[in-house]
Amino acid sequence: MSACPFGVIDRREDDGRAWKCTLCYDRLREDMVPACAKHCPTASIQYGDLVQLRARAEGRVEELHRRGVPEARLYGHSAGAQPGTEGLNAFFLLVDRPEVYNLPPEPVAPARNLRRSWSALAAAAVGMAALALGAVLSP
Amino acid sequence: MGRRETLMSQLRGEPPPADDGRNVDSLLGLLEGEGAAQQVERSAEEHPHPPPSELHDSTSDLETYYGLPLLKEHVWKAAIPAYFYVTRLIAASGAMVSGALLIEDLGRPSRFFNMLRVFRPTSPMSIGSWLLAGFGALSTTAALFRGRRAGPLAAIGDGAAVGAGVLGVPLAGYTAVLLSSTAVPVWQGARTWLPPLFMASAVTSAACVLDLCDLNALERRAVRRFGIAGKAAELVFSKAVEREVARPAILAAPLRHGMSGALWKGAKLLVAASLALSLAPRSSPRLRRASAWLGTLGSVALRFGILRAGRISARDPRATFAQQRGGPVTAQAGAPELVPDHAGPAASRDLAPASASEPSKVRAR
């Protein structure tokens, strides 16, 4: 939960397990689309093949720009646009900055920062070992 | 098959069937599988946040989504900071005790260094579990065979002591790596200096607890040196953490204000007082005990302060935005208070429309 940069993963109160959206895998098994996509009255939630979805989204943004909505943009649709996550498989078309939608503007999968912490820990570990030896060995 | 509430059952005055809230007609379908055993609980607080129209974040100089948190808070209870304290305590003392054992029994300190190998940076939680398991097994073995003077069992005991010492060192600080690999702004922001701080704090805790034990003069001198170095390092590294986190400044707010700030500052004060007492020219058992208790309290307060700061930090969407945008945002007093605004929907108009020309800077209103 604490590692999710989108604050998506949550915990069930009753059994303590962590969950996120499963894309209604029971429905997918029966060749149905997820319930939210099926149910959305404005068809804002779309489900399908990623390549087609990306193409459709890009076309939609171009059309919005043409119609005089210069703020329209895609969020997380490609690795180039969101290097911290290498792109999302669930992406958004926004007409404002991501903050306005409570989306992190530049999310990074936190595990990508691990190298620095481990190196710092390694250096500190050497220091601590030296300290322990020094304290015991010195006359 | 369960009963169903019908007009007839109502007329007969039968009590309505027990409802678990899932609204499944048991005449039409039965719940099966792992979900069936679960009871849906309606929490007293159905909507933890007031509806957006009633919210206005009056302290904010940043656009947020009505000040609602972006991240999830951690759900850790007091057991986690206590665990952080205990692992670091036993790990550091284990490292030192087993280091001392090694040197007294084998006289070969170089083997200690041979064991300090680089480990693979993968999941900190998995590494921590393995460290803890290995450390526990080895230190138990070492304790079991400690009395033996010679023979294979003594060798096994010594080997286990060395192994426990080597595992104990990273065990003392892996929890810092674990914290800095979360999305919580204040923890992520401290990713360079939090591990050294945890290590130094481990040294402090271990020295303080050892100081409370019965020691001979030689051991006491070693523990005193160990403790002084640890406390000094802890003070230096906590300053380093503050500086690292304060870019941008809003991230450091939980370390400055509120309960987490009080715990953090109190920990620093306690450790400084403990350091001053151990540096006192004339040492008495009383002074030593006082110093040890101050240091122990400081170490515990540090863990609780850091955990609390993470909770406050996750609650503040401005910290997340500022960290990711790298914008110049000043620290403000306390966690964001969500002030109900009776102006209602007017609050939403405060969100200025985006301008595509400056996407990479946090704009102040």
Side-chain angles (χ1 to χ4, degrees):
Chain A
M1 273 170 68
S2 286
C4 178
F6 300 97
V8 159
I9 299 174
D10 207 347
R11 201 182 65 149
R12 283 186 70 116
E13 283 300 323
D14 50 358
D15 61 6
R17 289 183 297 169
W19 290 88
K20 68 181 281 296
C21 162
T22 63
L23 289 176
C24 297
Y25 62 83
D26 52 336
R27 290 174 56 88
L28 293 185
R29 260 200 316 244
E30 308 286 330
D31 285 331
M32 294 188 278
V33 298
C36 60
K38 176 82 178 170
H39 173 264
C40 185
T42 54
S44 301
I45 302 174
Q46 304 201 356
Y47 176 86
D49 181 64
L50 260 181
V51 179
Q52 290 170 14
L53 283 180
R54 288 198 182 108
R56 201 183 302 163
E58 276 154 19
R60 180 94 181 113
V61 167
E62 272 168 30
E63 194 198 328
L64 281 170
H65 286 174
R66 232 185 359 258
R67 281 204 217 160
V69 190
E71 302 88 1
R73 76 206 59 189
L74 294 178
Y75 176 87
H77 67 296
S78 70
Q82 204 176 83
T85 60
E86 294 172 3
L88 306 171
N89 288 339
F91 58 96
F92 298 89
L93 195 164
L94 310 180
V95 290
D96 206 333
R97 292 142 38 87
E99 287 94 325
V100 175
Y101 297 86
N102 218 13
L103 289 168
E106 309 278 346
V108 176
R112 291 162 70 105
N113 296 326
L114 270 178
R115 187 178 293 272
R116 209 154 109 207
S117 300
W118 280 124
S119 333
L121 179 66
V126 171
M128 179 170 152
L131 182 64
L133 284 180
V136 173
L137 278 184
S138 58
Chain B
M1 284 279 165
R3 271 183 323 113
R4 194 175 167 193
E5 186 165 34
T6 58
L7 182 62
M8 276 310 287
S9 71
Q10 281 179 13
L11 289 175
R12 285 195 199 114
E14 288 174 3
D19 177 22
D20 72 354
R22 273 174 287 201
N23 203 19
V24 174
D25 187 340
S26 55
L27 289 180
L28 299 177
L30 273 181
L31 280 175
E32 285 179 346
E34 65 174 337
Q38 290 172 342
Q39 287 297 310
V40 174
E41 283 176 13
R42 295 268 178 252
S43 63
E45 212 182 6
E46 280 272 308
H47 301 287
H49 303 292
S53 61
E54 292 176 14
L55 283 173
H56 175 55
D57 185 358
S58 64
T59 62
S60 176
D61 60 349
L62 267 182
E63 287 173 10
T64 63
Y65 187 70
Y66 304 102
L68 292 182
L70 166 68
L71 300 173
K72 291 281 187 299
E73 288 169 32
H74 68 77
V75 289
W76 302 330
K77 303 194 177 93
I80 295 294
Y83 164 72
F84 285 2
Y85 173 73
V86 172
T87 49
R88 272 179 271 167
L89 170 71
I90 57 164
S93 43
M96 195 194 170
V97 167
S98 54
L101 272 178
L102 163 72
I103 288 140
E104 281 172 18
D105 292 353
L106 300 175
R108 282 187 57 191
S110 64
R111 276 184 60 185
F112 197 83
F113 289 116
N114 283 348
M115 295 293 189
L116 294 173
R117 293 174 302 188
V118 176
F119 35 86
R120 263 168 215 277
T122 50
S123 156
M125 199 174 273
S126 130
I127 287 192
S129 321
W130 282 106
L131 285 175
L132 193 62
F135 177 82
L138 289 174
S139 53
T140 311
T141 315
L144 280 178
F145 299 148
R146 203 177 156 210
R148 311 264 171 173
R149 299 234 160 237
L153 285 186
I156 291 176
D158 289 343
V162 176
V166 171
L167 288 188
V169 173
L171 183 63
Y174 91 89
T175 46
V177 181
L178 180 72
L179 289 187
S180 52
S181 69
T182 61
V184 175
V186 69
W187 291 342
Q188 210 186 96
R191 58 179 175 264
T192 312
W193 291 108
L194 203 58
L197 172 65
F198 273 36
M199 295 295 255
S201 174
V203 173
T204 306
S205 331
C208 287
V209 168
L210 286 174
D211 243 347
L212 291 172
C213 305
D214 263 343
L215 301 172
N216 64 34
L218 208 79
E219 292 167 334
R220 202 180 305 139
R221 229 180 31 232
V223 167
R224 181 167 173 269
R225 285 202 201 101
F226 198 55
I228 288 175
K231 288 165 199 166
E234 185 172 343
L235 290 177
V236 172
F237 290 145
S238 49
K239 198 78 209 157
V241 163
E242 278 173 17
R243 288 176 63 111
E244 189 189 13
V245 164
R247 288 188 307 249
I250 189 176
L251 261 64
L255 299 181
R256 294 193 183 138
H257 311 286
M259 211 233 284
S260 54
L263 282 167
W264 172 263
K265 285 182 208 153
K268 286 197 299 185
L269 266 180
L270 287 165
V271 171
S274 170
L275 177 64
L277 283 187
S278 10
L279 283 174
R282 273 184 305 138
S283 157
S284 72
R286 219 175 171 169
L287 266 183
R288 225 176 41 243
R289 263 203 304 281
S291 160
W293 278 116
L294 285 175
T296 304
L297 275 179
S299 293
V300 175
L302 185 80
R303 273 76 163 177
F304 278 89
I306 288 174
L307 264 281
R308 178 81 198 162
R311 182 181 291 276
I312 302 300
S313 187
R315 214 175 268 177
D316 186 356
R318 297 170 303 150
T320 309
F321 296 154
Q323 185 176 46
Q324 295 182 9
R325 293 287 199 196
V329 181
T330 50
Q332 291 177 2
E337 303 287 335
L338 299 177
V339 184
D341 180 1
H342 298 290
S348 65
R349 282 202 294 274
D350 286 347
L351 298 172
S355 84
S357 59
E358 47 161 330
S360 62
K361 268 182 75 182
V362 169
R363 230 167 0 156
R365 250 193 257 138

